[in-house]
Amino acid sequence: MIPGVRGTRDIVPGDVERWQHVEAVARDVCGRYGYRELRTPIIEREELFAKGTGESTDIVQKEMYAFTDKGGERVTLRPEATPGMVRAYVEHALEQALAVPKLFTIGPMFRYERPQKGRYRQFHQLNVEVFGVADAALDAEVIEMACTFVETLAIQGTELVINSVGCPACRPAFSEALLNGLGEDLPKLCGDCQRRAATNPLRIFDCKVAADQSVIDQLPHSVDFLCDTCREHFEAVQRYLRAYEQPFRVSHRLVRGLDYYTRTTFEILASQLGAQNALLGGGRYDGLVKQLGGADRPGIGFAAGLERLVLALPGTDDEVAPDVFVAALGAAAREAAFVLARALRAGGLQTLVDYEPRSAKAQLKRANRARARYAVIVGDDELARGEVTVKTMATGEQHSVARDGVVAALSSS
Ligand code: AMP
């Protein structure tokens, strides 16, 4: 046996129904908020992420599945969806095509990270992006929609955290304040923090190294360095969230791992998930569209990890089971059984047939194992009389039904 690639997972029957449920709720919620689906390729040019996600991010520096293709072009499996969504929005002039470009996509992402519970090398996201709207009302609506999505899935023990990381006008002063705050302590921090101090000091707040935390806890907070417009924007977002009666906590450590965020950042955490507890995260990225060659348009969005949503989903009892199991007894009956199965399926009933000639007992055992609601037994003698036997599996009760009436009888039951 050749095992699957480390960090990838098969979604097997039994689990796949939970995935389908999460995806169906995602589509339903996105639809209600006016989002349209956009599907972009899994493979993109490597430079899209260097420019979009950011050269200084862990994603671009360490985690991309990038390679030179047979034509000599540098390409990569997408580590996240936003740059590809922005590319497609610009490339197809979706601004003209859609009244409000509200877009979502669902699909796999690839990051070469160390796999653990809730963290994989191929994982799946629901991605939501809105272009062209700068108003704080949209930030709050996007956040509220994310909360509604998680609530609709009945995931318990969640918490919404928000922050503002400012804009290019006020961020430099904050970065400088961080470096000043670190001062003599910088050389004591981990290697990653040293690198972050040089490339993007905000990201020091991402550090999980226990020994670094006492220093990081003393650092200044981004909200204390916001320019007037950023501060007003952040206050407005909070006002709208209160109007929605949506509880939240402001966390100054929520800077998010990507370079393009401006102003609002947010995450929904789920206590039950352990170390990888972020169900979803996002924020505003007002400079990204321009940076990727489009007009100067603001943007905002979030990405939700489907693996983590499925993990956090409460248990369900709905088992997937066929309506009918058709058992044939005798050679002539076999052909009739397959024809009957087709008629049952055409009548909307989920139907299985036994493919091997076996005893009645063996076939009924199989019907039981498949958890079928009914077994329809087709025997040579009954067939001659134009009848079949219907057995209700839960009660064991059985009776004869006219062959021509069985689809109607079971469809209405
Ligand atoms: P990010 O794109 O890093 O902001 O992540 C957004 C969401 O995607 C996270 O909150 C997770 O739910 C999910 N996610 C990110 N990386 C992984 C991963 N390696 N494995 C599984 N889910 C992930």
Side-chain angles (χ1 to χ4, degrees):
M1 205 265 301
I2 301 167
V5 173
R6 184 165 137 83
T8 68
R9 301 194 324 154
D10 299 306
I11 305 166
V12 297
D15 291 338
V16 84
E17 292 76 16
R18 291 161 69 80
W19 281 75
Q20 289 165 344
H21 174 62
V22 171
E23 288 161 8
V25 170
R27 286 175 195 285
D28 176 55
V29 171
C30 286
R32 279 190 278 142
Y33 283 76
Y35 288 79
R36 305 274 296 272
E37 185 171 359
L38 169 64
R39 300 186 189 186
T40 62
I42 282 166
I43 191 165
E44 296 272 6
R45 288 173 205 270
E46 185 181 21
E47 62 188 312
L48 179 70
F49 299 97
K51 233 177 159 180
T53 312
E55 289 281 10
S56 80
T57 59
D58 284 354
I59 290 180
V60 170
Q61 292 211 340
K62 307 186 202 163
E63 298 169 1
M64 290 222 287
Y65 279 88
F67 58 98
T68 307
D69 72 9
K70 290 190 168 58
E73 189 158 1
R74 287 296 292 172
V75 293
T76 181
L77 301 185
R78 61 183 184 190
E80 59 141 344
T82 304
M85 299 284 274
V86 173
R87 179 196 53 70
Y89 162 75
V90 174
E91 209 164 322
H92 302 282
L94 293 179
E95 185 174 33
Q96 275 84 50
L98 302 169
V100 181
K102 289 179 124 178
L103 300 164
F104 79 94
T105 202
I106 298 176
M109 308 294 150
F110 303 83
R111 293 183 198 170
Y112 197 79
E113 294 188 274
R114 200 169 52 75
Q116 56 174 265
K117 186 185 167 207
R119 189 162 78 190
Y120 310 98
R121 289 181 174 172
Q122 175 174 337
F123 60 99
H124 300 76
Q125 286 183 339
L126 159 70
N127 249 87
V128 162
E129 321 283 352
V130 189
F131 301 109
V133 181
D135 198 278
L138 176 65
D139 303 43
E141 188 198 81
V142 167
I143 294 171
E144 180 269 311
M145 178 175 112
C147 295
T148 297
F149 173 48
V150 169
E151 253 164 51
T152 310
L153 291 169
I155 294 173
Q156 305 298 312
T158 59
E159 183 185 27
L160 168 65
V161 287
I162 64 170
N163 192 23
S164 174
V165 293
C167 68
C170 52
R171 179 121 18 105
F174 177 52
S175 295
E176 204 182 310
L178 281 179
L179 293 176
N180 287 340
L182 282 169
E184 320 252 288
D185 289 328
L186 179 58
K188 295 186 211 145
L189 298 183
C190 69
D192 275 341
C193 280
Q194 318 257 347
R195 186 170 53 80
R196 288 166 180 148
T199 53
N200 185 352
L202 253 74
R203 304 272 314 294
I204 288 173
F205 288 110
D206 285 340
C207 178
K208 301 271 184 326
V209 176
D212 291 359
Q213 300 309 310
S214 59
V215 172
I216 294 172
D217 283 341
Q218 305 301 316
L219 292 175
H221 301 174
S222 57
V223 288
D224 296 327
F225 288 82
L226 298 180
C227 57
D228 288 349
T229 44
C230 282
R231 201 182 53 251
E232 281 158 23
H233 185 93
F234 192 44
E235 280 165 6
V237 173
Q238 296 178 66
R239 262 200 317 277
Y240 279 108
L241 288 176
R242 285 192 205 100
Y244 286 130
E245 296 179 24
Q246 173 59 57
F248 63 88
R249 174 170 64 86
V250 176
S251 164
H252 68 273
R253 290 197 62 156
L254 182 64
V255 291
R256 313 256 318 124
L258 314 178
D259 278 357
Y260 50 61
Y261 285 111
T262 52
R263 297 191 168 169
T264 315
T265 54
F266 65 96
E267 281 187 355
I268 297 182
L269 312 175
S271 53
Q272 53 184 300
L273 285 181
Q276 302 301 318
N277 66 345
L279 276 177
L280 62 84
R284 190 165 264 292
Y285 47 85
D286 289 346
L288 185 61
V289 177
K290 186 164 178 219
Q291 196 169 324
L292 291 179
D296 191 3
R297 296 285 179 270
I300 182 169
F302 70 81
L306 300 195
E307 280 78 3
R308 294 187 196 173
L309 291 165
V310 168
L311 268 171
L313 215 54
T316 49
D317 300 330
D318 359 312
E319 289 178 338
V320 177
D323 300 303
V324 187
F325 190 100
V326 182
L329 304 179
R334 262 175 80 70
E335 207 174 284
F338 281 100
V339 174
L340 178 60
R342 184 174 75 161
L344 288 161
R345 289 164 179 157
L349 293 157
Q350 206 186 105
T351 305
L352 290 179
V353 196
D354 207 330
Y355 298 101
E356 287 165 52
R358 293 174 219 262
S359 69
K361 194 168 156 219
Q363 293 194 56
L364 286 174
K365 212 166 142 191
R366 196 155 265 239
N368 207 28
R369 217 185 107 200
R371 298 189 305 267
R373 283 172 65 209
Y374 300 102
V376 172
I377 303 152
V378 186
D380 288 349
D381 297 346
E382 289 171 294
L383 208 58
R385 294 197 301 272
E387 285 180 349
V388 296
T389 301
V390 172
K391 176 171 179 175
T392 306
M393 297 303 290
T395 59
E397 208 183 303
Q398 59 184 62
H399 55 279
S400 289
V401 176
R403 155 72 184 79
D404 295 340
V406 71
V407 176
L410 296 187
S411 306
S412 62
S413 64

